[in-house]
Amino acid sequence: AVGGARVVLTDPGVTVNLAADYSSNTLDWLAANVADNEAALRERAPAVRRLVWGDEAHTAALLAEFASPFDLVVGAELLYDPDQYPALLRALDAFVAGGTLALLGFTHRHEGERRFFEGAAAAGFRTATQWREGEGAGPR
């Protein structure tokens, strides 16, 4: 991590069946990617931990292990399933405090994404959205 920052990468560890006799999970893939880049990362390799949004045990374990609040929370492609928005907002609420910046990038797939931002505002988050023009861009 740049400047000695401590980085924690999370993933729910979704099982993926690649063949009838072989399965893996996304958390293992993330950990393998970090391990494959260990030489370049040196002592600054990020921690890899399981986090299922809304799972109180996962949240408590992360909060116990790592100092909270975090300075920066980054998420990518998190808004694909509107049914998961309440759990995602609970996770963000646990890890984000007054001075924390949460930056979420996503591909516009449906109008339901607006529900996430409405829910975030209702939960007390200050939000700003910047739609990018082009393929998958949000409403104008």
Side-chain angles (χ1 to χ4, degrees), residues 34-136:
V34 169
D36 287 348
N37 290 285
E38 217 169 79
L41 296 168
R42 299 188 192 127
E43 71 277 354
R44 295 186 177 141
V48 176
R49 300 293 184 269
R50 184 165 193 235
L51 175 63
V52 174
W53 303 331
D55 185 300
E56 292 181 21
H58 290 178
T59 300
L62 283 167
L63 290 173
E65 183 177 1
F66 302 100
S68 182
F70 292 94
D71 295 321
L72 176 66
V73 173
V74 178
E77 298 302 335
L78 305 178
L79 303 183
Y80 50 87
D81 184 357
D83 291 340
Q84 295 299 314
Y85 293 171
L88 173 57
L89 286 169
R90 284 193 307 276
L92 286 171
D93 189 52
F95 298 112
V96 171
T100 303
L101 173 65
L103 178 62
L104 307 179
F106 64 98
T107 300
H108 175 64
R109 292 179 176 87
H110 47 76
E111 291 302 312
E113 289 132 1
R114 289 191 189 279
R115 282 186 15 222
F116 172 80
F117 294 103
E118 291 166 358
F125 289 98
R126 193 174 58 209
T127 65
T129 307
Q130 181 176 354
W131 299 105
R132 191 185 87 213
E133 297 294 324
E135 185 177 333

